[in-house]
Every structure is written in C-alpha cells, then in structure tokens.
Amino acid sequence: MQEGIWVAGHRGMVGSAVVRKLREQGRRVITVDRKDLDLRNQKAVEEWVQQHQPTSIIFAAAKVGGILANDTLPADFLYDNLCIQTNTINAAHLAGVNRLIFLGSSCIYPKFAEQPIKESSLLTGSLEPTNEWYAIAKIAGIKLCQAYMRQYGRNYVSVMPCNLYGPGDNFDLKSSHVMPALIRKIMAAKEKELPTVEIWGSGTPLREFLHVDDLAAGVVHCHDNYFEFEHVNCGSQKEITIRHLAEEIAEVVGFRGSFVFDASKPDGTPRKVMDSSRLRAMGWSPKIGLNAGIRSTIEWFVEAYPMG
Ligand code: GFB
C-alpha cells in the first residue's frame, strides 16, 4: 500500500514542522484544513478518515497556549482537546488505521516530580494548577492510545515534548508561550528605545526548550521506530531560567535595557526538565542550540509580522 501520513494540525507550529520533515524525506503527506474538517465533530472525523484512508496519523492538532491562556480558559483547553483527540483516535481505529503518534506535553507530569522527569513519573502526584486542564486532556490521550493498543493491538504511541519554540509559533502576547512573548517584547523595546521590558512572574522558573525542527525529527523517528506501550519523552535536557532566557534574547536582539518582574503573573511549575534518554538511545538527538534557535525564530517573526 502507498504510504500516506495524515498530519492532523498541519497549520500549527508543530504540525507544519512535521510536514516539512516528512516532505524533506520525500514522503507522502495528507492534510485537511480546519474549514473543511472540524476535529470536534465526531461524525465528520469518522467519515473523513474512512474516505481518505491514511496509512498512519501524526496527531499534532491541539488547543495550545501559554501559562495565562491555560489558566484563564480551562473549559476550552479541556473540552477541545478531549474532543479532537478522542474523535481522531477512535476514527483511526474504526477505519483500520494501525499506526498513530499522539503528541502530549511535559506538563502531564506532577508539579513536584523528581528531576529529570522519567516517563514512569506519570500519575505519581498532583499537577501544576495553571495547566491541569490541558494536562488532564493530554493524559487522557496517552491512556486512550494505550487502551487501543491493549484491547485491539493498535500501534498508537505517545511522544511528550518539552517547551517548544521556533518558526510558526504564536506571537500573540496574551496567548503565547514565553519564548515568542519575550522575543516580541524585547524587539519592540529595542525599536522604541524603551528602558525596560516586563517579564511575568519572578524570572526564576526553569524551562527546557527544544526547537520545533528537532522535535519534528524526533516525532518522525518515533513514527518509524518506536512501538512501545509507554509514552516517550522528547526534550533537549538543557534548562534555563526565564531571566536568563530574556538575557539571551536581549543579547541576540541588541537590547541594552533592563527587566522588571511582574509578580502578579503566575510562575507556574518551578522546574520541569525531562529525562529523554530513551529516545536518545534510539538514535535521536537535538541539533539546534538555543542561540541559533532564537535567531531562526526571530527571522521567521520578522517576516511573518512585518509591523512587529
Ligand atoms: O511558556 P509559558 O507560558 O508556559 O511560561 P509554561 C513559562 C514561564 O515564563 C512562566 C514566564 O513562569 C511565565 O510566568 N513568563 C515571563 C512569560 N514572561 C512571560 C510572557 O510574557 N509570556 C508568557 N507566556 N510567559 C505552559 C503550559 O506552561 O507550557 C502548557 O501552560 C504547556 O500546558 C506549555 O505545557 C508547554 O511552561 O509555564
């Protein structure tokens, strides 16, 4: 049978990077626009998958956002994600699609998990409250894949990325993650010659960042090689505080002002670096360092948002 990989969520930062990676390898990719298929519509998803018969699915569709969006839109993050992933996974099974890669997030792990976080830490403690809605949906997705594997022998496996960034990211300051937010704010401050940039929280939380092109390589690697029951971590294993991240971006941009910290905004989890040794042992490793990654993200931002 001719290969046809459906990348669900191909317009998003992760999905578009996965499509780039697959096409680079000369593989046939299937996509569908949101206006033509609403993944929250169970019947429509079932019919579409039945009709298009992908040989496998990479599920990169999700309602995502930064700490504030997660904290203020709990119903959207829980409902949308539960719907779209459940519809897609079940539709895959009904249509006889035997291979599916589900993408989660490092926020599935307990807030105070032992660091670096191993896959086995899942469900061993309470979640970080700012993103528990999203995390619960993602945990349900992992478990749904495992349930279809156990009950029906399907090869549905899950990959957990750390904090991602790169071309295609969301730069809307209210809903974005920290990397695009700081790039945008610091570039604007440099241009307007402002003396300070505001950073949410204390600046002390540690985050593990991975460029989305490295993630895409990891996801395609898992698609081709990972068939285990347990989900697998995919991270850079490099941590940086939010303050240092701001300094790194300021250095690249040439911003010489200072930072003020807005304590009214949440810090979120203090630390969440994952142990990605299982995936590394399978031959994947990240190639893009933080400095080069910040530069490529800025290049994309400047093109995509010409007004800043
Ligand atoms: O990237 P971020 O929104 O998500 O925030 P999380 C990371 C840290 O950066 C937090 C701080 O401590 C923020 O308070 N921060 C500082 C900022 N300035 C800013 C800013 O201008 N914008 C933003 N957004 N943050 C999300 C989860 O958690 O990460 C999701 O809510 C998901 O569920 C995702 O898992 C990867 O790392 O805190």
Side-chain angles (χ1 to χ4, degrees):
M1 199 193 330
Q2 194 201 4
E3 182 181 63
I5 306 171
W6 175 26
V7 179
H10 71 289
R11 297 259 180 229
M13 175 175 71
V14 172
S16 56
V18 170
V19 169
R20 280 198 298 279
K21 187 76 206 165
L22 289 168
R23 293 210 168 122
E24 207 181 284
Q25 296 180 353
R27 301 170 76 165
R28 194 165 77 87
V29 177
I30 303 171
T31 60
V32 56
D33 282 340
R34 188 182 298 206
K35 68 174 170 28
D36 300 318
L37 179 65
D38 181 350
L39 295 178
R40 290 170 305 182
N41 182 334
Q42 182 185 15
K43 186 136 187 47
V45 177
E46 283 175 13
E47 283 172 4
W48 190 89
V49 179
Q50 197 61 255
Q51 193 190 342
H52 291 81
Q53 289 290 319
T55 50
S56 61
I57 299 172
I58 297 180
F59 186 78
K63 165 104 185 142
V64 296
I67 191 164
L68 208 62
N70 266 268
D71 206 20
T72 49
L73 304 169
D76 293 0
F77 276 81
L78 186 53
Y79 175 81
D80 283 5
N81 285 308
L82 281 176
C83 275
I84 64 178
Q85 70 199 31
T86 305
N87 290 344
T88 305
I89 294 166
N90 187 57
H93 169 62
L94 293 178
V97 180
N98 209 34
R99 184 76 173 138
L100 183 144
I101 308 294
F102 177 73
L103 285 168
S105 160
S106 59
C107 69
I108 59 157
Y109 292 115
K111 175 166 185 165
F112 299 111
E114 196 183 316
Q115 314 274 326
I117 312 170
K118 289 194 182 349
E119 286 87 353
S120 55
S121 287
L122 182 63
L123 294 173
T124 56
S126 307
L127 298 164
E128 154 59 33
T130 54
N131 57 37
E132 66 173 322
W133 320 95
Y134 179 71
I136 293 276
K138 289 295 179 185
I139 293 169
I142 296 169
K143 289 294 165 190
L144 198 57
C145 288
Q146 291 180 340
Y148 281 95
M149 190 183 269
R150 176 162 296 179
Q151 191 175 337
Y152 298 109
R154 296 292 185 203
N155 272 312
Y156 296 171
V157 303
S158 303
V159 179
M160 291 314 108
C162 62
N163 284 51
L164 302 169
Y165 72 98
D169 211 341
N170 167 22
F171 282 79
D172 172 67
L173 294 181
K174 287 199 196 78
S175 58
S176 72
H177 288 99
V178 64
M179 178 76 84
L182 292 188
I183 287 177
R184 189 169 197 171
K185 290 198 270 194
I186 293 171
M187 286 183 71
K190 155 96 177 154
E191 190 167 323
K192 293 178 190 143
E193 297 181 3
L194 302 177
T196 59
V197 166
E198 186 191 85
I199 297 188
W200 297 354
S202 63
T204 59
L206 285 155
R207 292 291 182 270
E208 177 191 10
F209 290 98
L210 181 70
H211 192 279
V212 71
D213 287 344
D214 278 331
L215 172 80
V219 168
V220 173
H221 193 71
C222 285
H223 174 274
D224 297 344
N225 302 293
Y226 189 75
F227 298 93
E228 305 294 320
F229 186 75
E230 197 171 35
H231 62 280
V232 66
N233 291 341
C234 184
S236 62
Q237 301 196 157
K238 293 209 168 74
E239 291 180 280
I240 184 168
T241 63
I242 298 304
R243 176 193 281 273
H244 281 133
L245 176 69
E247 288 167 0
E248 183 94 24
I249 296 169
E251 177 74 32
V252 172
V253 167
F255 171 69
R256 306 261 170 265
S258 58
F259 300 111
V260 289
F261 294 88
D262 177 0
S264 73
K265 296 285 196 310
D267 267 346
T269 199
R271 193 179 174 202
K272 49 174 171 181
V273 65
M274 296 190 301
D275 179 341
S276 298
S277 52
R278 278 171 70 193
L279 192 50
R280 280 170 182 255
M282 285 169 47
W284 169 86
S285 62
K287 307 276 180 272
I288 306 168
L290 190 62
N291 192 274
I294 290 171
R295 287 175 196 277
S296 77
T297 308
I298 290 176
E299 267 171 38
W300 184 88
F301 171 63
V302 170
E303 283 238 328
Y305 294 70
M307 308 306 282

